[in-house]
Amino acid sequence: MAFNHLSLLRRLLCQTLVRPVQSPLAATSRVGVRPPLCPGTSHLLAPASVRLYATKKAKVKAKGQSAKVNINSALVEDIISLDEVKEEMTSVLAGLKDEFTRNLSIRTSPGALDHIVVATQDGKFPLNQLGQISMKSPQLIMINMSSSPEATEAATRALRLSSMNLNPEVDGTIIKVPVPKVTREHRENLAKLAKQFGNKAKESLRRVRSNAISQVKKAKEGHSEDTIRLVEKQIQQMSEEMAADVDKQLAAKTKELLG
C-alpha cells in the first residue's frame, strides 16, 4: 500500500511541475532536448530555445549605416539629370589626378615628364610622343628626339617652363635633364600641396552637390516629398562616394611622395 501511495504522489508531483511550453522566439533549429523528468511526459516538454541578441558593436554598426539608394536616372529626368551630376563629380576626380601628375612629381622616373606638353608648329603634343624618354641614372633623364628633331628646341623650352624646376641641356637631338636631389623637406612640402589639392577637390564636389540639390528643390511642385527626398539622398550618396575616392587618391599620392 505504501508503494501505491508513493506512485500516486509521484504522478501528482509531475503533473504539478510539468507545464506545456511554447515560445514564439524559439530558434528553428533544435539545440537539445532534456530527458523527461517523469515517465510519459515527454510530449509536454518544448525543445530548448535560443534567443539571438545583437552585440553592442553590431548595433552601433547597424545604426551608423543607412540604406543605399539606387535610383533609375531615367525615372527622374524631369527633376534632374543624375548622369550629368555624376559626370561633373567625375570630372573633379579627373582634375585632381591631373593636378597630381602635373605639379607633384618628384622627378625620379621617366614617367615624371609624360605630362609635359610641347607646342610645335603642327600643334601640341605630349613630350613622350615626340621623344624617347629614359633614365640614364637616378640623377639624369635622357630624351632622344631623333624621331622628331625639329621639335627639340620646343621640347627644351617646354621643360624649362614647366613647374618642375628643370634645367635641360641640348646635345644634338639628345636632351639631358639633370634631376635635382629630392630632399625630405621637398617631399613633405609636396605632400602638403597634395592635401591642398585634395581639399580643393572636395570643395568642388560640395559645390556640385549643393547646386544639384538646389535644382531638385526647385522641382518640388508636381512630385511627392518622398521622391524629392530620395533624389536628394542619391545626390548626397554620390558626393560621399566621390569624396571617398578623393581620399584614396590623396592617400596613394602622399605615400608615393613621402616614400
Side-chain angles (χ1 to χ4, degrees), residues 17-253:
L17 293 176
V18 179
R19 293 288 185 272
V21 179
Q22 293 181 348
S23 173
L25 297 177
T28 56
S29 61
R30 177 170 296 185
V31 175
V33 179
R34 291 181 296 176
L37 297 174
C38 304
T41 61
S42 60
H43 64 287
L44 298 178
L45 297 176
S49 62
V50 177
R51 295 185 66 180
L52 303 178
Y53 296 92
T55 63
K56 184 176 181 181
K57 184 176 181 181
K59 287 181 179 178
V60 171
K61 183 177 180 181
K63 185 177 180 181
Q65 292 179 340
S66 57
K68 284 198 170 186
V69 180
N70 188 13
I71 298 176
N72 186 335
S73 58
L75 299 179
V76 294
E77 282 184 343
D78 56 336
I79 299 176
I80 192 172
S81 173
L82 291 176
D83 290 337
E84 288 183 4
V85 175
K86 185 175 182 180
E87 185 177 342
E88 285 187 60
M89 292 183 176
T90 302
S91 68
V92 172
L93 289 179
L96 176 63
K97 185 176 181 181
D98 185 55
E99 290 279 17
F100 282 171
T101 302
R102 288 190 296 107
N103 300 305
L104 299 179
S105 174
I106 54 177
R107 307 182 298 259
T108 57
S109 67
L113 305 181
D114 286 351
H115 69 281
I116 293 179
V117 176
V118 181
T120 69
Q121 294 180 350
D122 297 325
K124 295 182 178 180
F125 302 92
L127 178 61
N128 60 359
Q129 289 187 10
L130 298 174
Q132 183 178 359
I133 306 173
S134 60
M135 291 291 296
K136 184 69 174 179
S137 71
Q139 286 75 43
L140 182 64
I141 296 178
M142 303 283 284
I143 307 172
N144 188 338
M145 298 292 297
S146 57
S147 60
S148 305
E150 71 283 356
T152 302
E153 183 179 349
T156 304
R157 183 168 56 251
L159 288 165
R160 285 202 180 98
L161 295 177
S162 71
S163 59
M164 299 176 67
N165 192 29
L166 300 174
N167 187 26
E169 302 172 1
V170 180
D171 183 9
T173 56
I174 301 295
I175 302 175
K176 299 178 181 179
V177 186
V179 180
K181 185 177 180 181
V182 182
T183 64
R184 185 67 185 178
E185 181 181 3
H186 180 62
R187 289 177 179 270
E188 291 174 352
N189 288 336
L190 289 179
K192 290 178 183 178
L193 187 58
K195 188 174 182 180
Q196 292 177 15
F197 287 140
N199 290 337
K200 183 179 177 182
K202 286 186 176 182
E203 288 176 7
S204 297
L205 287 176
R206 286 193 290 268
R207 187 161 50 251
V208 173
R209 179 202 62 195
S210 179
N211 292 340
I213 290 181
S214 295
Q215 183 179 338
V216 172
K217 290 185 182 298
K218 292 178 182 178
K220 280 187 175 181
E221 187 176 350
H223 299 90
S224 69
E225 291 184 3
D226 288 342
T227 299
I228 295 298
R229 188 161 49 249
L230 282 175
V231 175
E232 291 177 349
K233 189 174 182 181
Q234 175 80 77
I235 294 170
Q236 176 65 29
Q237 179 178 296
M238 291 164 59
S239 176
E240 290 174 354
E241 290 174 351
M242 293 293 181
D245 286 340
V246 169
D247 288 336
K248 289 179 182 177
Q249 284 195 31
L250 177 58
K253 192 63 179 181

